[in-house]
Amino acid sequence: MLMEDGKVYKIIEIVGSSPHSFDDAVRAAVKKAAESLKDLRIVEVVKFDGRIDGDEIVQYRARVKISFKLLDEND
Amino acid sequence: MLMEDGKVYKIIEIVGSSPHSFDDAVRAAVKKAAESLKDLRIVEVVKFDGRIDGDEIVQYRARVKISFKLLDEND
Amino acid sequence: MLMEDGKVYKIIEIVGSSPHSFDDAVRAAVKKAAESLKDLRIVEVVKFDGRIDGDEIVQYRARVKISFKLLDEND
Amino acid sequence: MLMEDGKVYKIIEIVGSSPHSFDDAVRAAVKKAAESLKDLRIVEVVKFDGRIDGDEIVQYRARVKISFKLLDEND
Amino acid sequence: MLMEDGKVYKIIEIVGSSPHSFDDAVRAAVKKAAESLKDLRIVEVVKFDGRIDGDEIVQYRARVKISFKLLDEND
Amino acid sequence: MLMEDGKVYKIIEIVGSSPHSFDDAVRAAVKKAAESLKDLRIVEVVKFDGRIDGDEIVQYRARVKISFKLLDEND
Amino acid sequence: MLMEDGKVYKIIEIVGSSPHSFDDAVRAAVKKAAESLKDLRIVEVVKFDGRIDGDEIVQYRARVKISFKLLDEND
Amino acid sequence: MLMEDGKVYKIIEIVGSSPHSFDDAVRAAVKKAAESLKDLRIVEVVKFDGRIDGDEIVQYRARVKISFKLLDEND
Amino acid sequence: MLMEDGKVYKIIEIVGSSPHSFDDAVRAAVKKAAESLKDLRIVEVVKFDGRIDGDEIVQYRARVKISFKLLDEND
Amino acid sequence: MLMEDGKVYKIIEIVGSSPHSFDDAVRAAVKKAAESLKDLRIVEVVKFDGRIDGDEIVQYRARVKISFKLLDEND
Amino acid sequence: MLMEDGKVYKIIEIVGSSPHSFDDAVRAAVKKAAESLKDLRIVEVVKFDGRIDGDEIVQYRARVKISFKLLDEND
Amino acid sequence: MLMEDGKVYKIIEIVGSSPHSFDDAVRAAVKKAAESLKDLRIVEVVKFDGRIDGDEIVQYRARVKISFKLLDEND
């Protein structure tokens, strides 16, 4: 998980959502990213927002940036 | 909840608080706004802070922006 | 906890972490600061990020700023 | 339109929308604000975004701040 | 003046002006806000600017954010 | 177009250009993104700039962020 | 128009205006800058705002940065 | 002082200083700019800082932006 | 007061307050810092805010950053 | 290398690293991006940071954004 | 080089370039500014970017702000 | 160097300088911090600037943030 020397990481931006909490929305984004990418390293929260219905937040959303290792061609 | 064509939304800034968590402070702000406004749409977190007593956070605060639909005069 | 007239406050920047949640990471930072400083007043969240292992966040981190009262020499 | 000495202005944040263009979305926000407020002075664009359907922008949105004169009690 | 638990605060944005100084422009904004709102708590300076005539500043302006307590319906 | 519960969105950054206007440059970016991606949702303008030749803008450019739905593996 | 090696560019900040549109305000700024400067290269939009009269925008304004090539003494 | 239609304004950045106060430092910047430029319109404060000697501020500094009207060639 | 070659400076963040003015609040922060630190060099204003009672600012606050020289071990 | 009319560019965010210098870390990010992408155009530095061991920086890191041309379907 | 009391400084924005390194690009900007201006004081880096050809940076660019003393009319 | 679970890190802000290069200025800041602190982890560049004499940069400066581990009382 420590960034190795000479390695290059890519950062993608993702919006995760959850009906329960902002933390859950971040976890949803990470889970989704992990379905198609390997060696995820760091998730950074860019923004929290949510959709309201009546007087309740019905969807918690987290815009995050996730970094992962780009494989060398010789790996 | 989807923004309708031609509709105009207003955004207000509010600070909610809770003795329990940052998520709760956001919910408190939404609940309060819903007492006097209708058609709330989105809540965005601007800042989280909190008051400390001793070594504990005794008040979680969330500064948020909340958007709601402005009614047409003919509505 | 209310800022007294004529008092001066110092602000330090700290990164707390937790295996459980962002709120917990903020609390960890406050707890640690309170071990060596007195009269802590406000904690502000600067940034949330986390380390990922596989498809899970294994370490929630909160970068925060904490203010505390600087004692007068006559205190 | 020039800001008079001693006058105080209030600033509100509004999101206007249009099916046609970003300029139109700004104009829609101004038009709406003028329905209930007098002495509007300046509109500042905070952000442009839009909703997409297929490969087209079907709703142009402008988040703006609008300032207007607060009346003196003696006015 | 200390933020009470469970209370919710609203934040408005105002531009005050003065022929004399930036501090005076902030005070003008607060005075004006206090005419129609109760329980003002904090004023934050967002921006200072001014109008020039010849080689003098003839109007000092302060854009500020002011927070005040939203009353509970049972208050 | 409304963000569905539990769905995850990805955000990409693109620069579109047009010889005619900034709005056109935004539309060009959306059109291009739609060639290879489905379920585009929101376009946000990050920056407008342009290339000048003589005293005219010969290329209007829009740097935008576009969000689109990430498909579930079971979709 | 491509930035040449070893060349140095200067950037100036200008506010253009138009009664018609934000794009026009940007073009007015570029036209004006081209009256006294040569080799203009890039215009970047810093901010859009406008003056309102009644319920209409009567002046669209664009604050822009414009870069142009500084001539070598040997040129 | 009101921005005229079709006029173009230039913005310059200046640091003024004073041994007395931040307001004075702003005024010094305006006074200096007025020595070589006409039709100054607005001064905006970008940053206040100062040099310290012992426990006193011996030089108050204000970094400001000042806008002034660019003359038409036919003026 | 001029930064010497090879010297290293540390920057601390402090909130000063005054019942009178923002300038005074900055001076209070500097005075306090000078009680325990030597070779203070520059103070930068990060933010001005204040506490309101009724329609008056009863406490002017300045959040500032102050730099001072770190002594070499051989000094 | 000059941005062609009507072309659309994509921007990706990458973290390069080097044991030697920040410039080298930027070059490493560009080299890696060029392994899988064609027509790279501009690299912008977003942030420099580094890992420390003892009193030395053992890994220089550069977070950069890189733009490259999206091919037309008919190319 | 120390800012003298009562002096006023102007700040200009310049883009320097070099085929070799970001530091060199900053030096090129300073060298160029010194050809036509006297009493340069401080250079601040605003942004680093570069043009890429193939997998190499062929032009390092530095956008900088440079301050210099404005002469008094009596100097 | 990897951030351990439950550990808390403190972040300090320092300005390093060098007559040679920006990289050297960062290294100077790290070297100095390492004289009095243990377990330094990450250095982040906040700002590069420099003092100019004639047409040369005679002092490269780097404002950086450095994080280091706060020891537990039981360590």
Side-chain angles (χ1 to χ4, degrees):
Chain A
M1 228 155 322
L2 186 146
M3 190 172 167
E4 300 165 51
D5 258 349
K7 291 298 175 196
V8 174
Y9 290 77
K10 189 174 174 188
I11 295 171
I12 54 169
E13 195 164 2
I14 279 189
V15 182
S17 69
S18 151
H20 304 304
S21 72
F22 288 119
D23 280 27
D24 247 33
V26 178
R27 285 187 280 261
V30 171
K31 278 256 179 308
K32 188 74 190 178
E35 283 179 13
S36 55
L37 298 166
K38 290 207 293 193
D39 287 314
L40 303 185
R41 199 177 53 112
I42 299 283
V43 57
E44 304 168 59
V45 175
V46 175
K47 184 180 181 179
F48 286 136
D49 64 9
R51 286 199 299 114
I52 304 170
D53 191 8
D55 67 350
E56 298 208 337
I57 302 175
V58 293
Q59 188 184 41
Y60 296 81
R61 296 189 299 210
R63 186 193 278 223
V64 302
K65 292 200 173 191
I66 295 176
S67 60
F68 58 95
K69 188 161 56 172
L70 284 177
L71 291 182
D72 276 325
E73 288 182 331
N74 317 331
D75 277 1
Chain B
M1 228 154 321
L2 185 147
M3 190 171 167
E4 300 164 49
D5 257 349
K7 293 298 177 196
V8 174
Y9 291 78
K10 189 172 174 189
I11 295 171
I12 55 169
E13 195 163 3
I14 279 189
V15 182
S17 69
S18 152
H20 304 305
S21 72
F22 289 119
D23 280 27
D24 248 32
V26 179
R27 285 187 282 260
V30 171
K31 278 255 178 311
K32 188 75 191 176
E35 282 178 14
S36 56
L37 298 167
K38 290 207 293 194
D39 287 315
L40 303 185
R41 200 177 53 112
I42 299 283
V43 57
E44 303 168 59
V45 175
V46 175
K47 184 181 180 178
F48 286 136
D49 65 9
R51 286 199 298 116
I52 304 171
D53 191 9
D55 67 349
E56 297 208 336
I57 303 175
V58 292
Q59 188 183 40
Y60 296 81
R61 296 190 299 211
R63 187 193 277 222
V64 302
K65 293 200 173 190
I66 294 177
S67 61
F68 58 95
K69 189 162 54 172
L70 283 177
L71 292 182
D72 275 325
E73 288 182 331
N74 315 334
D75 276 3
Chain C
M1 225 156 323
L2 186 148
M3 190 173 166
E4 299 165 50
D5 257 350
K7 293 298 176 195
V8 174
Y9 291 78
K10 190 174 173 187
I11 296 172
I12 55 169
E13 195 164 2
I14 280 189
V15 181
S17 69
S18 152
H20 305 304
S21 72
F22 288 120
D23 280 26
D24 247 33
V26 179
R27 285 187 283 261
V30 171
K31 278 256 180 309
K32 188 75 192 176
E35 282 179 14
S36 55
L37 299 167
K38 289 207 293 193
D39 286 314
L40 304 185
R41 200 176 54 112
I42 299 284
V43 57
E44 303 169 59
V45 175
V46 175
K47 184 181 182 178
F48 286 136
D49 64 9
R51 286 200 298 116
I52 305 171
D53 191 9
D55 66 351
E56 298 209 336
I57 302 175
V58 292
Q59 188 184 41
Y60 296 81
R61 296 189 299 210
R63 187 194 278 223
V64 302
K65 293 199 173 190
I66 295 176
S67 60
F68 58 95
K69 188 161 55 173
L70 284 177
L71 291 183
D72 276 326
E73 287 181 334
N74 315 334
D75 278 1
Chain D
M1 227 156 321
L2 186 148
M3 189 173 168
E4 300 165 50
D5 257 349
K7 293 298 176 195
V8 173
Y9 291 76
K10 190 173 173 188
I11 295 171
I12 55 169
E13 195 164 3
I14 279 190
V15 182
S17 69
S18 153
H20 304 305
S21 71
F22 287 119
D23 280 26
D24 249 31
V26 179
R27 285 188 281 262
V30 171
K31 278 255 179 309
K32 188 75 191 175
E35 282 179 13
S36 55
L37 298 167
K38 289 206 294 193
D39 287 313
L40 303 185
R41 200 176 54 111
I42 298 284
V43 56
E44 303 168 60
V45 175
V46 175
K47 184 181 182 179
F48 287 136
D49 65 8
R51 286 200 296 115
I52 303 171
D53 191 9
D55 67 350
E56 299 207 336
I57 302 175
V58 293
Q59 188 184 40
Y60 296 81
R61 297 189 297 209
R63 187 193 276 224
V64 302
K65 293 200 173 189
I66 294 176
S67 60
F68 58 96
K69 189 161 54 173
L70 283 178
L71 292 182
D72 275 327
E73 288 182 331
N74 316 333
D75 277 1
Chain E
M1 226 155 321
L2 186 149
M3 191 172 168
E4 300 164 52
D5 255 351
K7 293 298 176 194
V8 174
Y9 291 77
K10 189 174 173 190
I11 294 171
I12 54 169
E13 195 164 2
I14 279 190
V15 182
S17 69
S18 151
H20 304 305
S21 72
F22 289 120
D23 281 26
D24 248 32
V26 179
R27 286 187 280 261
V30 171
K31 279 255 178 307
K32 188 75 191 176
E35 283 178 14
S36 56
L37 298 167
K38 289 205 295 191
D39 286 315
L40 303 186
R41 200 178 54 114
I42 298 283
V43 56
E44 302 169 59
V45 176
V46 175
K47 184 183 181 176
F48 286 136
D49 65 9
R51 286 198 298 115
I52 304 171
D53 191 8
D55 67 349
E56 297 207 336
I57 302 175
V58 293
Q59 189 184 40
Y60 296 81
R61 297 189 297 211
R63 188 193 277 223
V64 302
K65 294 200 173 189
I66 295 176
S67 61
F68 58 96
K69 188 161 55 172
L70 284 177
L71 291 183
D72 274 327
E73 288 181 332
N74 316 335
D75 277 0
Chain F
M1 228 155 322
L2 186 148
M3 191 172 167
E4 299 164 52
D5 258 349
K7 292 299 177 194
V8 174
Y9 291 78
K10 190 175 174 188
I11 295 172
I12 56 169
E13 195 164 2
I14 279 189
V15 182
S17 69
S18 152
H20 303 306
S21 72
F22 288 120
D23 280 27
D24 249 32
V26 178
R27 286 188 280 262
V30 171
K31 278 256 178 308
K32 188 75 191 178
E35 284 180 12
S36 55
L37 298 167
K38 289 206 294 191
D39 287 313
L40 303 186
R41 199 177 54 112
I42 299 284
V43 56
E44 302 169 59
V45 175
V46 175
K47 184 182 181 177
F48 287 136
D49 65 9
R51 285 197 301 115
I52 303 171
D53 192 8
D55 66 350
E56 299 207 337
I57 302 175
V58 293
Q59 187 183 42
Y60 296 81
R61 297 190 296 211
R63 188 194 275 223
V64 302
K65 294 200 173 189
I66 295 175
S67 60
F68 58 95
K69 188 161 55 171
L70 284 177
L71 292 182
D72 275 327
E73 287 182 331
N74 315 333
D75 277 0
Chain G
M1 227 156 322
L2 185 148
M3 191 172 167
E4 300 164 50
D5 257 348
K7 292 298 175 194
V8 174
Y9 291 77
K10 189 172 173 188
I11 296 171
I12 55 170
E13 195 164 2
I14 279 189
V15 182
S17 68
S18 152
H20 304 305
S21 71
F22 288 120
D23 280 27
D24 248 31
V26 179
R27 285 188 281 262
V30 170
K31 279 256 179 306
K32 187 75 190 177
E35 283 179 13
S36 56
L37 299 167
K38 290 207 292 193
D39 286 315
L40 303 186
R41 200 177 54 113
I42 298 283
V43 56
E44 302 170 59
V45 176
V46 175
K47 183 181 181 180
F48 287 137
D49 64 10
R51 286 199 297 116
I52 304 170
D53 191 10
D55 67 349
E56 297 208 337
I57 302 175
V58 292
Q59 188 184 40
Y60 296 80
R61 295 189 300 210
R63 188 193 275 223
V64 302
K65 293 199 174 191
I66 295 176
S67 61
F68 58 95
K69 186 161 57 173
L70 283 177
L71 293 182
D72 275 326
E73 289 182 330
N74 316 333
D75 277 2
Chain H
M1 228 155 321
L2 186 146
M3 191 173 167
E4 300 164 51
D5 256 352
K7 292 299 175 193
V8 173
Y9 291 77
K10 190 173 173 187
I11 295 171
I12 55 169
E13 195 164 3
I14 280 189
V15 182
S17 70
S18 152
H20 304 305
S21 71
F22 288 121
D23 280 27
D24 248 32
V26 179
R27 285 187 281 261
V30 171
K31 277 256 180 308
K32 189 74 192 177
E35 283 179 14
S36 56
L37 299 167
K38 290 206 293 191
D39 285 315
L40 304 185
R41 202 177 52 113
I42 298 283
V43 56
E44 302 169 59
V45 175
V46 175
K47 183 181 181 178
F48 286 136
D49 65 8
R51 286 199 298 116
I52 304 171
D53 192 8
D55 66 351
E56 298 208 336
I57 302 175
V58 292
Q59 188 184 41
Y60 296 81
R61 296 189 300 209
R63 187 193 276 224
V64 302
K65 293 200 173 190
I66 294 176
S67 60
F68 58 96
K69 188 162 55 173
L70 283 176
L71 292 182
D72 274 327
E73 289 182 331
N74 316 334
D75 278 0
Chain I
M1 228 155 321
L2 187 148
M3 191 172 166
E4 300 165 50
D5 257 350
K7 292 297 174 194
V8 174
Y9 291 77
K10 188 173 174 188
I11 295 172
I12 55 169
E13 196 165 2
I14 279 189
V15 182
S17 69
S18 152
H20 304 305
S21 72
F22 288 120
D23 280 27
D24 249 33
V26 178
R27 285 187 282 262
V30 170
K31 278 256 179 307
K32 188 75 190 178
E35 281 179 14
S36 56
L37 298 167
K38 290 205 294 192
D39 287 315
L40 303 186
R41 201 177 54 112
I42 299 283
V43 56
E44 303 169 59
V45 175
V46 175
K47 184 181 182 178
F48 286 137
D49 65 8
R51 286 198 298 116
I52 304 171
D53 191 8
D55 66 350
E56 298 208 336
I57 302 175
V58 293
Q59 188 183 43
Y60 296 81
R61 295 189 299 210
R63 188 193 276 223
V64 302
K65 293 200 173 188
I66 294 176
S67 60
F68 58 95
K69 188 161 55 172
L70 284 177
L71 292 182
D72 275 327
E73 289 182 330
N74 315 333
D75 278 0
Chain J
M1 228 154 322
L2 186 149
M3 190 172 166
E4 300 165 49
D5 258 349
K7 292 298 177 195
V8 174
Y9 290 77
K10 190 173 174 188
I11 295 172
I12 54 168
E13 195 164 2
I14 279 189
V15 182
S17 70
S18 152
H20 304 305
S21 72
F22 288 120
D23 280 27
D24 248 33
V26 179
R27 285 187 282 262
V30 171
K31 279 255 179 311
K32 188 73 192 178
E35 283 179 13
S36 56
L37 298 167
K38 289 206 294 192
D39 287 314
L40 303 186
R41 200 177 53 111
I42 299 284
V43 57
E44 302 169 59
V45 175
V46 175
K47 183 182 182 178
F48 286 136
D49 65 8
R51 286 198 298 115
I52 303 170
D53 192 7
D55 66 351
E56 300 208 334
I57 303 175
V58 293
Q59 189 184 41
Y60 296 81
R61 296 190 298 209
R63 187 194 276 224
V64 302
K65 293 199 172 190
I66 294 176
S67 61
F68 58 95
K69 188 162 55 174
L70 284 178
L71 292 182
D72 276 326
E73 288 182 330
N74 315 333
D75 278 0
Chain K
M1 226 156 322
L2 186 148
M3 191 173 167
E4 301 164 49
D5 258 350
K7 292 297 176 195
V8 174
Y9 291 77
K10 190 174 172 187
I11 296 172
I12 55 169
E13 195 163 3
I14 280 189
V15 182
S17 69
S18 151
H20 304 304
S21 72
F22 288 119
D23 280 26
D24 248 32
V26 179
R27 285 187 282 261
V30 171
K31 277 255 178 312
K32 188 75 190 175
E35 283 180 14
S36 56
L37 298 168
K38 289 207 293 193
D39 287 313
L40 304 185
R41 202 178 52 113
I42 298 284
V43 57
E44 301 169 60
V45 175
V46 175
K47 183 182 181 177
F48 287 136
D49 65 8
R51 286 198 299 115
I52 304 170
D53 191 9
D55 67 350
E56 298 207 337
I57 302 175
V58 293
Q59 188 183 42
Y60 296 81
R61 295 189 301 208
R63 188 193 277 222
V64 302
K65 294 199 173 191
I66 294 176
S67 60
F68 58 95
K69 188 162 55 172
L70 283 177
L71 291 182
D72 276 324
E73 287 181 332
N74 316 332
D75 279 1
Chain L
M1 227 154 325
L2 187 148
M3 191 173 167
E4 299 164 51
D5 257 350
K7 291 300 176 193
V8 174
Y9 291 77
K10 189 174 174 188
I11 296 171
I12 55 169
E13 196 164 2
I14 280 189
V15 182
S17 69
S18 152
H20 304 305
S21 71
F22 288 120
D23 281 27
D24 248 33
V26 178
R27 285 187 281 261
V30 171
K31 278 256 177 310
K32 187 75 191 175
E35 283 179 13
S36 54
L37 298 167
K38 290 207 293 192
D39 286 314
L40 304 185
R41 200 178 53 113
I42 299 282
V43 56
E44 303 169 60
V45 175
V46 175
K47 184 181 181 178
F48 286 136
D49 64 10
R51 286 199 298 116
I52 303 171
D53 191 9
D55 67 349
E56 298 208 335
I57 301 174
V58 293
Q59 188 184 40
Y60 296 81
R61 296 190 297 210
R63 187 193 276 223
V64 302
K65 293 200 174 189
I66 294 176
S67 60
F68 58 95
K69 188 162 54 172
L70 284 177
L71 292 182
D72 276 326
E73 288 182 332
N74 317 333
D75 277 2

